[in-house]
Amino acid sequence: MITRQRLAAGICALLATLTAGVAFPAGAVADETDSTASPKVELVLDVSGSMSAKDMDGGSRMAAAKQAFNEVLDATPEEVQLGIRTLGANYHGNDRKTGCKDTAQLYPVGTLDRTEAKTAVATLQPTGWTPIGPALLKAADDLNGGDGTRRIVLISDGEDTCQPLDPCEVAREIAAKGIGLTIDTLGLVPDAKTRDQLSCIADATGGTYTSVQHKEELSDRVGQLVDRAADPVVTPVATEGAAQCSSAPTLKSGLYTDREEFGKQRFYRVDVDPGQELRASVSVGADRQVNPDYGVLLRAVTVHGREIVRGEGTGNGRTDVISTGLRYPKAESDDDNAPAETVCLQVTNSFSAASGVKTTPGLPLELTVDVVDAPSKASDVASFGLGRGWWLLGALVLTGFVAGLLWGWLSRWRLAVWRTN
């Protein structure tokens, strides 16, 4: 008699075989090592005396930062070269000149040894001044070299205390070098002066500013920014939308960037030939503090204002980017000389700035436009997005069907055995 254990083992073996077939189809070859340059990230942490304040979910700001760093170090993608720099970590005295030189590289930018990096972070104690400007200059040098993306993530709870070296001017100087380095800033205290300074630093390099007041938010946000450095780099083209379709720029397939004022709309034109399909998506980023509950609307309309199709996205303050998209297939025409249809893409947002936050420049907007040959059959439409992976869906369906049959048979067999006993 077949035992229950042997039957269960047989089912597991069958499922494992099917799964292996799905994961490694015949003819599949492992990807070769990615030859693109490794992305580099340096976390710059404020370790000044004020970081000892206990207002982060009952714990100190320093404790929240250490927890965030440990979680981020565990989750850092293998391809990212990561380093850590501190400011205000070593000098205990009152001499301003000395305190404003207090920045050091805690862990060098390179292949990550998670244990070593965590050990270094564990030694930090809130100590001295807040030399943000000097730290940014040194961090830019730390990331020098290579062709990959470079990103500084600055975490601070206060203004720079080492003026007249204005950190905003330092950020502008870094941006003017054209080295493709982005600075993202996180503020642990929601006061206006800190927010303005950190926003200015981020704006200068195309980065983002985020106000963080909870431990989980800090861990999540730092993790997002480190992960973002590993994303494939596509250079977007700057464009300028119009307030109405008639004066909007005509775009080809590609990735575009623009800025859109709070609560306003921007228009762009795209020509779509018969038999083609327009696929468009838009992302609007909150690069400063905004009120919760907001949305973005992407509409495809005719030049006369009639809506063709729309995409909508909403948010409630839990993410700094909101996106949506749409598809519009243009039907084939019997006339070989039929003209292209001009489609107007309208982007509207319902963001509103928090009290005291600057509303200029507008919010960063990223628009993707893709005009391709439209699917010719209903089956093509059904499999859109799968590409040559349709076999994967079929294999998964087959696996589920076989597993269901075997499980049903096993259940009936167990019931029969139970009744005979």
Side-chain angles (χ1 to χ4, degrees):
M1 179 180 293
I2 299 175
T3 65
R4 188 180 310 173
Q5 289 80 3
R6 291 177 62 186
L7 182 60
I11 294 174
C12 291
L14 176 59
L15 294 180
T17 303
L18 289 171
T19 303
V22 170
F24 301 102
V29 179
D31 291 336
E32 295 182 359
T33 303
D34 188 358
S35 61
T36 58
S38 297
K40 296 180 179 180
V41 179
E42 184 148 78
L43 306 178
V44 179
L45 178 61
D46 179 353
V47 195
S48 60
S50 58
M51 288 289 286
S52 62
K54 296 184 176 181
D55 56 5
M56 293 284 285
D57 299 325
S60 71
R61 300 168 189 169
M62 191 71 245
K66 287 183 177 181
Q67 177 181 321
F69 273 39
N70 284 336
E71 293 179 7
V72 169
L73 290 171
D74 281 335
T76 297
E78 293 294 334
E79 66 270 27
V80 173
Q81 294 190 6
L82 186 137
I84 303 172
R85 173 169 286 277
T86 62
L87 56 98
N90 301 309
Y91 178 66
H92 298 261
N94 296 320
D95 182 71
R96 183 176 181 277
K97 185 175 181 180
T98 303
C100 288
K101 296 178 181 178
D102 185 11
T103 177
Q105 194 171 44
L106 185 71
Y107 185 84
V109 178
T111 302
L112 182 61
D113 183 322
R114 303 178 199 279
T115 301
E116 185 178 339
K118 287 183 179 182
T119 301
V121 170
T123 65
L124 296 176
Q125 295 296 330
T127 301
W129 296 65
T130 313
I132 293 177
L136 292 178
L137 285 174
K138 292 290 187 181
D141 290 340
D142 295 341
L143 297 172
N144 192 31
D147 298 322
T149 58
R150 282 168 280 186
R151 185 178 296 271
I152 294 173
V153 180
L154 169 66
I155 302 101
S156 179
D157 69 341
E159 288 182 276
D160 181 282
T161 55
C162 293
Q163 301 286 349
L165 185 59
D166 185 350
C168 283
E169 291 300 323
V170 170
R172 294 187 184 105
E173 177 185 330
I174 291 172
K177 292 180 180 179
I179 58 176
L181 193 156
T182 302
I183 304 175
D184 297 290
T185 58
L186 290 86
L188 306 187
V189 177
D191 68 90
K193 289 184 178 180
T194 300
R195 181 179 63 232
D196 288 348
Q197 187 172 86
L198 295 181
S199 294
C200 179
I201 293 169
D203 288 347
T205 62
T208 60
Y209 162 74
T210 308
S211 176
V212 177
Q213 298 176 54
H214 299 284
K215 290 188 293 185
E216 288 188 3
E217 291 177 349
L218 182 59
S219 299
D220 290 346
R221 184 62 180 137
V222 177
Q224 288 173 9
L225 294 172
V226 172
D227 288 344
R228 187 174 296 174
D231 291 342
V233 179
V234 178
T235 304
V237 177
T239 188
E240 187 172 347
Q244 52 190 5
C245 181
S246 59
S247 55
T250 300
L251 306 180
K252 303 291 186 181
S253 294
L255 178 65
Y256 300 88
T257 59
D258 197 357
R259 289 216 174 237
E260 183 176 54
E261 295 181 28
F262 283 85
K264 299 294 184 178
Q265 62 183 19
R266 301 287 263 180
F267 278 95
Y268 311 87
R269 296 160 65 100
V270 181
D271 291 333
V272 183
D273 288 323
Q276 290 187 322
E277 179 174 275
L278 167 63
R279 302 170 184 171
S281 63
V282 66
S283 297
V284 179
D287 61 351
R288 68 210 77 174
Q289 190 175 7
V290 299
N291 293 318
D293 299 323
Y294 44 75
V296 61
L297 171 66
L298 176 63
R299 300 172 67 225
V301 300
T302 68
V303 292
H304 302 295
R306 179 180 61 82
E307 181 176 293
I308 302 171
V309 66
R310 65 165 56 193
E312 299 176 89
T314 59
N316 57 9
R318 299 179 65 88
T319 179
D320 64 324
V321 177
I322 185 169
S323 306
T324 189
L326 57 80
R327 295 174 59 188
Y328 168 52
K330 175 66 176 173
E332 290 275 7
S333 174
D334 294 332
D335 184 359
D336 293 337
N337 297 317
E341 177 185 5
T342 297
V343 176
C344 302
L345 292 176
Q346 176 190 0
V347 180
T348 307
N349 78 81
S350 59
F351 282 92
S352 61
S355 177
V357 175
K358 296 182 298 182
T359 59
T360 57
L363 297 171
L365 175 156
E366 190 170 270
L367 178 67
T368 301
V369 175
D370 198 13
V371 180
V372 299
D373 291 337
S376 58
K377 299 181 295 183
S379 58
D380 294 333
V381 175
S383 63
F384 170 72
L386 292 176
R388 285 184 287 180
W390 61 267
W391 58 267
L392 174 61
L393 180 59
L396 291 174
V397 171
L398 177 61
T399 301
F401 176 73
V402 173
L405 287 178
L406 290 174
W407 185 254
W409 181 83
L410 174 61
S411 298
R412 293 179 62 185
W413 175 77
R414 291 177 61 186
L415 181 59
V417 171
W418 178 79
R419 286 178 174 176
T420 57
N421 293 335

